[in-house]
Amino acid sequence: MQEKGLLIVLSGPSGVGKGTVRKEIFSQPDTAFEYSISMTTRSPREGEVDGVDYFFKTRDEFEALIEQDKLLEYAEFVGNYYGTPVDYVRETLDQGKDVFLEIEVQGARQVREKFPDGLFIFLVPPSLSELKNRIVTRGTETEDVINNRMTVAKEEIEMMNLYDYVVENDQIERACDRIKAIVIAEHCRRERVEPRYIKMLEVD
Amino acid sequence: MQEKGLLIVLSGPSGVGKGTVRKEIFSQPDTAFEYSISMTTRSPREGEVDGVDYFFKTRDEFEALIEQDKLLEYAEFVGNYYGTPVDYVRETLDQGKDVFLEIEVQGARQVREKFPDGLFIFLVPPSLSELKNRIVTRGTETEDVINNRMTVAKEEIEMMNLYDYVVENDQIERACDRIKAIVIAEHCRRERVEPRYIKMLEVD
């Protein structure tokens, strides 16, 4: 019998660098889990490719998928929808492969309800002021937008208690190493592997 | 305020290769935890050095330390005492450093009672027959001793449910990588780090 893969959920406050960390992880050749591409109604940023970074959809298309119950999670964030197509996730887990989601905190909460055994990782900035710097550095936002994001970020950090692990994004490479270590460790958790060893004892 | 270090306990059936894995971990320059040297009344094996591999003691000396409550744990195994001096462990944890113990399963059970928050890792052989091969290969034991050890090993594998993690010793390097990943992951566990981040929110 094929053991199911592990559902890995990376989330965290807006602006913390989830996307950058995710891209770094999947640029490394030894990464042994599959990336579930999110769907969004927001416009592509420079360099983003449809079907690689996101599946870009119109609001009408997105709402049709909500109606058909084809999304594992979805959230509206700063006026745009973000979501995870459910079929890819279930099929890949059934093949025994680990699936990696990089999603907003509202979505992570929905996934937790459906996959309580998932591995939930919260990415945090070294400090909130550092977070503010990153949002400002992006350079395209008004002060009102920035202040609104800071309030949202504080609320999101307070949501930390829904997660299994907290990873500080002090350096991208270090954050990636920690996330990969967490996945390795999770595969060694006694509750997950004990049944296999009990079987070994019976066979001998 | 100095955060306390993590107590890491590596245990597993006799003959599984705990000592070899521990030596490999501490031969690696990036290992960031301290080794707590065990005390024993058994004779040194070839190449073992007093104060490096073990503190070698007489039965009288060992029993005096038991009386003085100077051992975090001790066990009698195949006619010899093994134990962990308590002062070194407490002082090193208080300095905020992680301490690594490599001990027998009877001892690990005692440590679990005193340090329920410790990180308990169970090293297992790829199969029980593989375990038997290793004990036979050591070459110095009679068949009765081997059969007795096998019975003990089966009992020990059944003790797996006292542990947080199970690491298969299929290859020494892979086992070491997994153990180090588990320590990194454990430092990211939300229950351990959340208080630090809640403080960050208050300061901002």
Side-chain angles (χ1 to χ4, degrees):
Chain A
M1 197 196 71
Q2 178 70 62
E3 259 176 72
K4 276 204 171 189
L6 195 62
L7 183 64
I8 305 152
V9 179
L10 180 68
S11 191
S14 172
V16 74
K18 293 188 291 292
T20 311
V21 166
R22 181 256 303 166
K23 276 182 203 164
E24 173 62 25
I25 287 177
F26 283 94
S27 75
Q28 296 171 356
D30 66 335
T31 294
F33 32 87
E34 311 292 320
Y35 176 53
S36 162
I37 300 166
S38 292
M39 209 169 265
T40 184
T41 59
R42 81 151 162 77
S43 306
R45 293 193 191 130
E46 207 183 310
E48 285 185 339
V49 176
D50 185 40
V52 175
D53 298 287
Y54 285 96
F55 296 112
F56 294 101
K57 299 283 175 188
T58 66
R59 279 189 84 85
D60 283 352
E61 287 170 332
F62 202 102
E63 284 169 356
L65 291 166
I66 296 170
E67 292 277 312
Q68 295 159 36
D69 204 19
K70 287 289 190 192
L71 296 172
L72 173 58
E73 55 81 30
Y74 69 95
E76 201 166 0
F77 185 75
V78 199
N80 287 301
Y81 281 125
Y82 294 79
T84 301
V86 69
D87 292 347
Y88 174 82
V89 171
R90 293 207 183 273
E91 286 161 15
T92 310
L93 292 176
D94 286 346
Q95 290 163 25
K97 294 178 190 160
D98 296 344
V99 176
F100 185 96
L101 307 184
E102 177 237 315
I103 57 180
E104 301 299 330
V105 291
Q106 293 161 278
R109 186 190 285 269
Q110 297 169 52
V111 179
R112 182 57 118 179
E113 279 164 24
K114 292 176 187 165
F115 286 88
D117 288 347
L119 176 54
F120 287 73
I121 303 172
F122 197 74
L123 195 67
V124 291
S127 72
L128 270 180
S129 43
E130 174 68 9
L131 170 70
K132 191 165 178 177
N133 282 338
R134 289 185 201 194
I135 292 174
V136 173
T137 309
R138 204 179 269 168
T140 52
E141 332 288 2
T142 67
E143 193 167 348
D144 271 0
V145 171
I146 290 168
N147 285 338
N148 179 39
R149 290 244 177 109
M150 286 299 289
T151 306
V152 171
K154 286 189 187 186
E155 287 164 8
E156 286 169 330
I157 288 181
E158 281 161 7
M159 288 176 66
M160 195 182 277
N161 68 349
L162 291 173
Y163 293 78
D164 305 303
Y165 294 93
V166 176
V167 168
E168 191 172 305
N169 191 16
D170 49 355
Q171 290 177 27
I172 294 167
E173 292 75 15
R174 291 185 62 182
C176 293
D177 287 349
R178 290 187 196 114
I179 291 166
K180 293 173 100 166
I182 288 167
V183 175
I184 291 170
E186 196 68 18
H187 277 287
C188 296
R189 281 182 73 80
R190 195 250 309 155
E191 297 92 328
R192 292 197 194 271
V193 300
E194 195 172 30
R196 200 185 309 153
Y197 288 103
I198 287 171
K199 198 176 286 176
M200 185 178 89
L201 254 188
E202 286 164 0
V203 169
D204 193 84
Chain B
M1 197 195 72
Q2 177 70 63
E3 258 176 73
K4 275 205 173 191
L6 195 62
L7 183 65
I8 305 152
V9 178
L10 179 68
S11 191
S14 171
V16 74
K18 293 188 290 292
T20 311
V21 166
R22 181 257 302 166
K23 277 181 202 163
E24 173 62 24
I25 287 176
F26 284 94
S27 76
Q28 295 171 357
D30 66 334
T31 294
F33 32 88
E34 310 292 319
Y35 177 52
S36 161
I37 300 165
S38 291
M39 210 169 265
T40 184
T41 60
R42 81 151 163 75
S43 305
R45 292 193 191 131
E46 208 183 308
E48 286 185 339
V49 176
D50 186 40
V52 175
D53 298 286
Y54 285 96
F55 296 111
F56 294 101
K57 298 284 175 189
T58 65
R59 280 189 83 84
D60 283 353
E61 287 170 333
F62 201 103
E63 285 169 355
L65 291 166
I66 296 171
E67 292 277 312
Q68 295 159 36
D69 204 20
K70 286 290 189 191
L71 296 172
L72 173 58
E73 56 81 30
Y74 70 96
E76 201 164 0
F77 185 75
V78 200
N80 286 301
Y81 281 125
Y82 294 79
T84 300
V86 70
D87 292 348
Y88 174 83
V89 171
R90 293 207 183 273
E91 286 161 15
T92 311
L93 292 176
D94 285 346
Q95 289 164 24
K97 294 178 190 161
D98 296 343
V99 176
F100 185 95
L101 307 185
E102 176 238 315
I103 56 179
E104 302 298 329
V105 291
Q106 293 161 278
R109 187 191 285 270
Q110 296 169 54
V111 179
R112 181 59 115 178
E113 279 164 21
K114 291 177 187 163
F115 285 88
D117 288 348
L119 175 54
F120 286 73
I121 304 172
F122 197 73
L123 194 67
V124 291
S127 72
L128 270 181
S129 44
E130 175 69 9
L131 170 69
K132 191 165 178 178
N133 283 338
R134 289 184 199 196
I135 292 174
V136 173
T137 310
R138 204 179 270 168
T140 52
E141 333 288 2
T142 68
E143 195 168 344
D144 271 1
V145 171
I146 291 167
N147 285 336
N148 178 39
R149 289 243 177 109
M150 285 297 290
T151 305
V152 171
K154 286 188 187 187
E155 288 165 7
E156 286 170 329
I157 288 181
E158 282 162 4
M159 288 176 66
M160 195 182 276
N161 69 348
L162 291 174
Y163 292 78
D164 305 303
Y165 294 94
V166 176
V167 168
E168 191 171 305
N169 190 16
D170 49 355
Q171 289 177 28
I172 293 167
E173 292 75 15
R174 291 185 61 182
C176 293
D177 288 348
R178 291 187 196 115
I179 290 166
K180 293 173 98 165
I182 289 167
V183 175
I184 291 170
E186 195 69 17
H187 277 287
C188 296
R189 281 182 73 80
R190 193 251 309 154
E191 297 92 328
R192 292 198 193 271
V193 300
E194 195 171 30
R196 200 187 306 154
Y197 288 103
I198 288 171
K199 197 175 286 176
M200 186 177 88
L201 254 189
E202 286 163 0
V203 167
D204 192 85

